[in-house]
Amino acid sequence: MSSSDEWLALYTTIKLAGLTTLILLLLGTPLAWYMSKIQSRYKVFLEAIVALPLVLPPTVLGFYLLVIFSPTSTPGKWWLDTTGYSLAFSFTGILIGSVIYSLPFVVQPLQKAFEQLGDHVLEAGAMLSANSMDRFFTLVLPMTKASFITAASLGFAHTVGEFGVVLMIGGNIPGETRVLSIALFDHVEALNYSTAHWLAACLLIGSMVLLALIYLLNFNHERNIKYRMEP
Amino acid sequence: MSSSDEWLALYTTIKLAGLTTLILLLLGTPLAWYMSKIQSRYKVFLEAIVALPLVLPPTVLGFYLLVIFSPTSTPGKWWLDTTGYSLAFSFTGILIGSVIYSLPFVVQPLQKAFEQLGDHVLEAGAMLSANSMDRFFTLVLPMTKASFITAASLGFAHTVGEFGVVLMIGGNIPGETRVLSIALFDHVEALNYSTAHWLAACLLIGSMVLLALIYLLNFNHERNIKYRMEP
Amino acid sequence: MSTLAVSEAPQAIQRDLSVDVNLSFDSFQLSCDIRFDLNGITGILGHSGSGKTSLLRVIAGLNRDAAGTVILKQRTLQSDTQFIKPEHRKIGFVFQDARLFPHLSVAGNLEYARKRCKPNSLDANEIIQMTQIGALLKRDVVKLSAGEKQRVAIARALLAEPELLLMDEPLSNLDNRARRDMVHLLRLIHQRLNLPILYVSHNIIEIQQLADEVLVMENGRIIQVGHVHQVLNNLNERMSTEFSSPTSLTLKVKQHLVNFGLTQLDFMAPSHNQVKLFAPLMNQPLGQQLRCYILADDLSISLNKPEASSIINCLPGRISQLHRLSRNGMLIKVQVMEHTFAINTSRYAVELLRLSHGTEVFIQFQADAIRCY
Amino acid sequence: MSTLAVSEAPQAIQRDLSVDVNLSFDSFQLSCDIRFDLNGITGILGHSGSGKTSLLRVIAGLNRDAAGTVILKQRTLQSDTQFIKPEHRKIGFVFQDARLFPHLSVAGNLEYARKRCKPNSLDANEIIQMTQIGALLKRDVVKLSAGEKQRVAIARALLAEPELLLMDEPLSNLDNRARRDMVHLLRLIHQRLNLPILYVSHNIIEIQQLADEVLVMENGRIIQVGHVHQVLNNLNERMSTEFSSPTSLTLKVKQHLVNFGLTQLDFMAPSHNQVKLFAPLMNQPLGQQLRCYILADDLSISLNKPEASSIINCLPGRISQLHRLSRNGMLIKVQVMEHTFAINTSRYAVELLRLSHGTEVFIQFQADAIRCY
Amino acid sequence: EQSLKIGVSANFTEPLKQLVDTYNEKFEPDIDVKLSVAATGVLYQQVRHGAPFDMVFAADIKRPQLIEEEGLALENSRFTYATGQLALWSTTRDQVALDDLTPYQGRIAIAAPHLAPYGKASKEALLSLDLWRKFHDKVITGNNISQTYQQTRTGAVDFGIISYSQFLLSDTGSGVLIDSQLHEPIEQQMLILKSTLNEDLARKFQQFILSDSSQELIISMGYADTRKTGHEQQ
Ligand SMILES: Nc1ncnc2c1ncn2[C@@H]1O[C@H](COP(=O)(O)OP(=O)(O)OP(=O)(O)O)[C@@H](O)[C@H]1O
Ligand SMILES: Nc1ncnc2c1ncn2[C@@H]1O[C@H](COP(=O)(O)OP(=O)(O)OP(=O)(O)O)[C@@H](O)[C@H]1O
Ligand code: MOO
Ligand SMILES: [Mg+2]
Ligand SMILES: [Mg+2]
């Protein structure tokens, strides 16, 4: 396996993890917000459903996703007819898989953050004519920034490390669905230990630097402002 | 594979996930507390390290853990000499692996919850002669109950669904290290699809009921008390 | 209650603010049906837990559970079929707790209000200066002292320039000086913007100094409404032993005795000008009309015109009412020309001086008993 | 500062509470070096942002950054080498914001304090009744009104029966009635438990009614310390225009005139018993000694003994001091036997009556000008 | 009752279970066989790090050779127990023939050639058929042959090259045997680990596997007749 393969896998990984995180933030934020607000018992089921992707082993989850993505199933056929390409073994496919698989890691921290926020400060915002969108972006978002960073970093890291789902529904196609975690696994399987160690170290150090950078940003922010919860 | 095998796997799974969650709560809580309190830049690195197990693919993480657990390595040998059995391929081994692998899911939600709690109410506790342990159990714990439930359910679900690490360091030994996710995987591998579907459905429904029960407990609690964060 | 409101609706529209709502908590029921003009500062008095905050929250739209109608300046904010969201009500709220935005500096908090207010007719710097928060602008709000927070919250609410401002015990953490400054500021703002204010306070002096109309709440109901003098003079027995009642007058500036730190005031009717009234020196143009209050506790009665007393004001009058306030307290109303003065005294003094209806007396008070806006 | 403290330490140990600390925030510096006895209620006055809360926090041990020494009743709470944690200081704190435990009911909050207090010498039911929170016991604390929260916080702090109680504007959200009840309760508790209290308030009346010793803070420094009369009588000019100063006396109950709602009081020295003093009827046994205050604003001066006035108390005396307070305000001290009365008046009155050192005058005041514990 | 712990590569799980049943019918006393199923690569890692197996059934020659070189295997215990065969399989078509691949333009699923012996053989077969050039950038590779089976089974890909044994066991789709002349033989070897405490039983079981009747059973389950190809022992 050439080193250009690895660069390609790195590129795919970053693209996958980055897009997954982005989509999860975009989808997960309103979902978490909604879940933090509803008061009915139905909330309980929603919470359980969001947590479910965790319970199935990744390859098994991948298998069921592949069944759905396959052009022989209705959704898969619809996708093929609409876009002209099959969801299975495409980048879009592994993206959807990663989004589903990492959903709970993004939704749950955000939901808790929104719940703990309470509405005292939001009421103050409303009384200054800020509508709900405005309040969300100017009050909720900055006040829960730390939880967004937690959510995003958990989602990102989890996507980087995931390979069961991705391998199953992605098919390990270089430049399209072959990600670093698969490459790393290949090296271990193929008994290329030195390459594997080297790749694992790079992954760890790279992620560590990335995470540290993220947390550093957050840390500087938090040093100045310490929110407090009160009755 | 007989159905008694499945019961055994279910038992092992519940034992593993339950113990993992317990240990994670016991270890993760002080760690999260500590991390929520430190103010130095060193915190950033600690946060990154806690998040690291996420970044490696489970089988790769499993591989490195196997290397460490093996009696040919110093820690593995030490364990063997001390306890008389090898860490690799033992229940203890997969327990340690699961704990490491699920650590971030428990630590991060707790850390955020502790940070958002602030110390206003804790100061009030101190002024009523409650020492730090007392304050932790009588104030912090009940006030962050929701986050503990999130942390525990993420940790539990993640352990139930995990099989890369467990398979690698556990060796799929019935009654010892063979868990439901591996059994499910085996059925898929062995082309027993009907059994696999049935098992997957059971896993999902069982987990859903469990999660719903947990959230229901929490929900009843939250309905009455809605904490609010204030400047 | 709500059917009643519907039938009365056309009449309700005549007044500036009409609130007819019902709200139930586990152990508390708010039940208001009230209409009044909003051409000034309306004070709300009431004991702790009487529902003052709840009433303000309903008016602001912060409590969606409240059933009923709220109409502000002919605009239906809330009815059985309609609910205008709080952010569109153009109502400002100074909360009992300051509720500053913890992620913004003091300046950021003020800007937040400023940006969302279209015409910006107030000068921000002036407000900042008058609330004395100039030195705090760059500070984190979480590090402010309680009084500092309260002042920032007031400045923020004012800079939003709402059409109606609700203030929930906004000065409770301020000392007398800051309180006085704030009262001055509020009066100024009210004049400049014609901004009506609903003002909840425990402090009767604040209410006296600020309010035109006063509501008194008890157990979730409004038990008294009216002009400040009227209400405060008629506070029922229990209330008046807790708050003290004032006499209210409108006086005209006649002359400044700068050397003595006094300002001579006249009654409005020219016929009474032989009576001299002295108040502490005030920075008001000659001829200016002032609304003044004198607390019943600050007045005393004598039968003879006292001489050589440091008590500077002395008016002849005739007792028009003797009112037993409590077991031993009496409230005496003395008619001085067409003005009625309320005087708190004891039954002992009444018996000693044999005061009764029609007795000719002199009422006395110090210069600083005359309290003006 | 801290080297000074070390050299003075042996002396410091003589007093009950000795605080010698330095604490710097970005734009604020607290710097205190003070020792005083803790045999009563010590009031702390000061404008918003002057460092009152910060001082209490340092004493409580809630601010570890504070450098210096804190010694309470010979126990070193904090020094360069030592730091006793807040939970072991046996100090209670009523915070400016109530800080109730949101996950517990009102009863749960009280129990929390009760459980952690060993001897339990107070009757919980009595405290609950006196703070009027009996009806709230089962309620969630997050649903309480501001005043209700404050009362629960006070009850909770009292039930912990600390050795020293710090109260940070504990009554700011209460109305006059509740405030009066609380003051009464605090005095009672203080007597019963011999519990010293450090009491921060903006309200000079509260301080007068409660405090024995008073500290005045400004800009992080303590600018005045002393007995309440002394301090309040000597508030510097700026302060005294904001707060008003009282005269203090110790009087003895002579007789109850129940029908008139009056109680006759005597001076302590038997020789002065020809002078009659009347206060509002009070529930005190005959012969009981009382500490009383009269505000300078409540007193007036005349040259002749006034007759037939509703002003019930009149004492002959001689002017011992004339003190120009402000441009137009004068503070006159009148010696009545061995007692000194402070009277606020205007320069106009002084000139009119030609008051000067040694002038024989009568001082007058109403029954309810005599304020007692 | 005697017991054996066997690490078995996924593709041979079903045949091995049947073999155990047959063994227990034939011999006394019954043995209790505990199967640990994993991919060959995983089995190898586990053996290297002290896995408590008595025997290992791998899916290739390479890993057993490595185990032997590292001195973890008993002398003379490494034998080829089966030779794999390939099948072209589809669940989207009713009829499948090798010729279908010539006009086919889509993707094809195979096991990863550098990881799995079945993958390597699949690649060789495609090369022999002169189809590799066409498919080399369209292959979907699974880590092992089971994954390839699953990917094909879902219908997400039209054709997959799986093991003939899987094809025979599967309940859906249609497939065709790929002539084993088109690729190097897929030899699968077993061995006994040095750490075993049941050497006698393991040897006995090994002899049973290599017996004619067992080999016939194995062949009937889709494996090639190793006696014909002459690869019975290395
Ligand atoms: N969300 C709620 N749920 C239940 N009861 C509530 C809720 N909010 C307020 N109450 C109760 O309603 C009553 C009125 O509360 P409100 O806050 O309006 O009083 P308030 O007049 O503002 O008192 P304060 O002067 O102490 O602030 C109180 O007894 C309070 O406990
Ligand atoms: N953690 C902090 N960091 C920086 N500045 C602070 C901090 N805490 C308080 N201050 C500042 O120190 C000064 C004194 O604050 P403190 O809370 O002691 O005032 P205070 O006398 O209690 O005022 P108030 O009557 O308004 O409650 C204020 O200017 C405040 O802004
Ligand atoms: O060892 Mo396998 O048969 O490639 O999973
Ligand atoms: Mg209120
Ligand atoms: Mg303060």
Side-chain angles (χ1 to χ4, degrees), chain C residues 4 8 51 53 70 73-74 88 91 103 106 128 131 157 181 189 191 202 229 231 256-257 274 303 315 326 335 342 344:
Chain C
L4 197 82
E8 285 184 353
T53 302
V70 178
K73 294 188 182 165
Q74 326 243 347
H88 298 131
I91 291 178
H103 58 294
V106 170
I128 288 168
T131 47
D181 293 346
I189 297 288
Q191 282 164 14
H202 293 308
H229 321 146
V231 171
H256 294 299
L257 306 174
Q274 67 274 28
L303 293 176
L315 303 176
S326 62
Q335 201 69 28
N344 268 348

Side-chain angles (χ1 to χ4, degrees), chain C residues 145-146, chain D residues 52-53 96 168-169:
Chain C
S145 83
Chain D
K52 305 180 296 296
T53 302
Q96 218 163 347
D168 196 356
E169 298 179 37

Side-chain angles (χ1 to χ4, degrees), chain E residues 78-176:
Chain E
R78 184 162 65 86
F79 297 100
T80 299
Y81 63 88
T83 302
Q85 288 180 290
L86 296 177
L88 181 67
W89 188 51
S90 171
T91 54
T92 57
R93 312 236 167 162
D94 297 335
Q95 287 279 303
V96 174
L98 275 185
D99 293 342
D100 291 348
L101 289 181
T102 317
Y104 177 63
Q105 289 301 325
R107 294 188 179 278
I108 179 168
I110 63 172
H114 61 288
L115 295 179
Y118 283 92
K120 182 162 156 284
S122 305
K123 181 178 170 183
E124 286 164 0
L126 288 174
L127 276 169
S128 310
L129 291 167
D130 206 18
L131 289 169
W132 181 250
R133 206 176 319 156
K134 178 172 137 195
F135 283 116
H136 82 277
D137 57 350
K138 287 183 189 155
V139 289
I140 284 158
T141 55
N143 264 349
N144 55 46
I145 201 72
S146 313
Q147 196 152 34
T148 305
Y149 176 88
Q150 287 151 28
Q151 287 170 335
T152 313
R153 190 192 146 101
T154 61
V157 60
D158 286 320
F159 291 102
I161 298 179
I162 59 171
S163 80
Y164 188 59
S165 143
Q166 284 174 323
F167 166 63
L168 291 184
L169 283 168
S170 88
D171 49 1
T172 60
S174 49
V176 60

Side-chain angles (χ1 to χ4, degrees), chain D residues 64-288:
Chain D
R64 295 204 78 143
D65 297 339
T69 338
V70 178
I71 301 169
L72 171 64
K73 295 187 182 165
Q74 326 243 349
R75 197 158 61 106
T76 302
L77 298 183
Q78 179 169 348
S79 69
D80 292 348
T81 55
Q82 208 179 346
F83 186 90
I84 295 188
K85 286 188 187 165
E87 60 263 37
H88 299 131
R89 294 192 174 192
K90 297 187 187 152
I91 291 179
F93 204 136
V94 178
F95 292 91
Q96 218 163 347
D97 45 344
R99 304 204 186 174
L100 302 179
F101 303 135
H103 57 295
L104 298 176
S105 65
V106 170
N109 268 273
L110 300 183
E111 247 166 56
Y112 195 96
R114 205 81 189 124
K115 267 193 207 148
R116 284 159 186 79
C117 142
K118 289 293 141 51
N120 273 353
S121 53
L122 281 175
D123 177 10
N125 287 328
E126 197 184 341
I127 300 286
I128 288 167
Q129 191 205 317
M130 295 187 78
T131 48
Q132 293 167 18
I133 54 175
L136 308 176
L137 286 179
K138 287 186 189 146
R139 299 268 293 276
D140 271 337
V141 294
V142 288
K143 288 181 184 164
L144 297 181
S145 82
E148 289 165 345
K149 276 184 196 154
Q150 231 169 19
R151 281 179 282 148
V152 174
I154 293 172
R156 188 178 67 171
L158 289 176
L159 288 174
E161 300 179 25
E163 288 186 1
L164 167 64
L165 182 57
L166 310 177
M167 305 189 84
D168 196 356
E169 298 179 37
L171 309 182
S172 62
N173 281 313
L174 297 180
D175 55 79
N176 293 0
R177 181 185 54 165
R179 212 180 265 252
R180 197 171 300 176
D181 292 346
M182 287 297 154
V183 166
H184 182 61
L185 171 65
L186 289 179
R187 287 193 38 246
L188 210 79
I189 297 288
H190 170 245
Q191 281 163 14
R192 186 129 17 120
L193 295 186
N194 194 22
L195 167 67
I197 300 179
L198 280 188
Y199 190 94
V200 168
S201 175
H202 293 308
N203 191 323
I204 190 104
I205 303 286
E206 260 167 59
I207 296 276
Q208 278 165 359
Q209 288 176 340
L210 279 172
D212 302 309
E213 199 99 0
V214 175
L215 317 182
V216 183
M217 294 194 71
E218 194 153 304
N219 277 328
R221 291 173 186 281
I222 293 174
I223 55 166
Q224 262 177 291
V225 193
H227 191 271
V228 61
H229 322 143
Q230 202 181 321
V231 171
L232 295 182
N233 289 339
N234 292 306
L235 281 176
N236 64 31
E237 177 171 338
R238 230 187 72 220
M239 285 282 177
S240 65
T241 55
E242 290 143 20
F243 310 121
S244 71
S245 29
T247 300
S248 156
L249 299 164
T250 301
L251 301 171
K252 201 163 61 184
V253 176
K254 171 135 187 229
Q255 184 184 354
H256 294 300
L257 307 173
V258 180
N259 283 340
F260 296 115
L262 294 177
T263 293
Q264 187 181 344
L265 302 171
D266 270 356
F267 286 104
M268 294 304 292
S271 60
H272 310 322
N273 281 359
Q274 66 274 29
V275 186
K276 283 186 184 168
L277 279 176
F278 294 101
L281 188 65
M282 53 187 75
N283 192 7
Q284 297 282 1
L286 295 187
Q288 172 77 36

Side-chain angles (χ1 to χ4, degrees), chain B residues 2-211:
Chain B
S2 75
S3 119
S4 92
D5 267 7
E6 252 79 87
W7 285 116
L8 208 57
L10 174 65
Y11 167 74
T12 310
T13 304
I14 291 177
K15 192 167 107 184
L16 177 68
L19 278 176
T20 302
T21 310
L22 193 71
I23 292 174
L24 278 175
L25 288 179
L26 291 180
L27 289 183
T29 305
L31 181 60
W33 181 256
Y34 174 68
M35 285 170 61
S36 74
K37 290 295 163 235
I38 47 176
Q39 285 286 327
S40 75
R41 294 200 166 240
Y42 155 67
K43 172 182 188 176
V44 172
F45 295 100
L46 209 58
E47 281 188 308
I49 285 171
V50 167
L52 274 191
L54 282 176
V55 177
L56 287 183
T59 35
V60 176
L61 182 65
F63 170 69
Y64 285 112
L65 287 177
L66 190 58
V67 171
I68 295 170
F69 290 175
S70 140
T72 54
S73 82
T74 320
K77 178 145 178 30
W78 173 84
W79 183 274
L80 185 63
D81 292 348
T82 316
T83 67
Y85 66 93
S86 165
L87 210 45
F89 312 107
S90 68
F91 181 79
T92 316
I94 59 171
L95 188 58
I96 294 177
S98 301
V99 164
I100 292 175
Y101 190 54
S102 296
L103 186 68
F105 303 123
V106 172
V107 172
Q108 297 217 1
L110 291 184
Q111 187 193 334
K112 281 291 152 299
F114 294 155
E115 279 169 4
Q116 293 209 335
L117 192 65
D119 37 27
H120 269 196
V121 172
L122 299 188
E123 286 183 355
M127 297 322 294
L128 296 172
S129 305
N131 63 30
S132 44
M133 269 297 143
D134 191 354
R135 293 200 294 273
F136 185 82
F137 286 105
T138 56
L139 301 178
V140 177
L141 213 58
M143 287 170 73
T144 53
K145 193 179 150 197
S147 292
F148 270 92
I149 288 177
T150 296
S153 62
L154 280 180
F156 191 92
H158 197 248
T159 309
V160 168
E162 170 38 32
F163 90 120
V165 175
V166 172
L167 180 63
M168 184 64 94
I169 62 186
N172 196 4
I173 299 166
E176 174 96 9
T177 61
R178 180 180 155 85
V179 295
L180 223 50
S181 60
I182 298 182
L184 176 54
F185 180 71
D186 279 359
H187 286 301
V188 174
E189 291 276 281
L191 318 184
N192 299 331
Y193 285 103
S194 62
T195 320
H197 295 334
W198 179 85
L199 203 57
C202 285
L203 244 179
L204 281 181
I205 292 170
S207 308
M208 176 123 174
V209 169
L210 189 71
L211 288 172

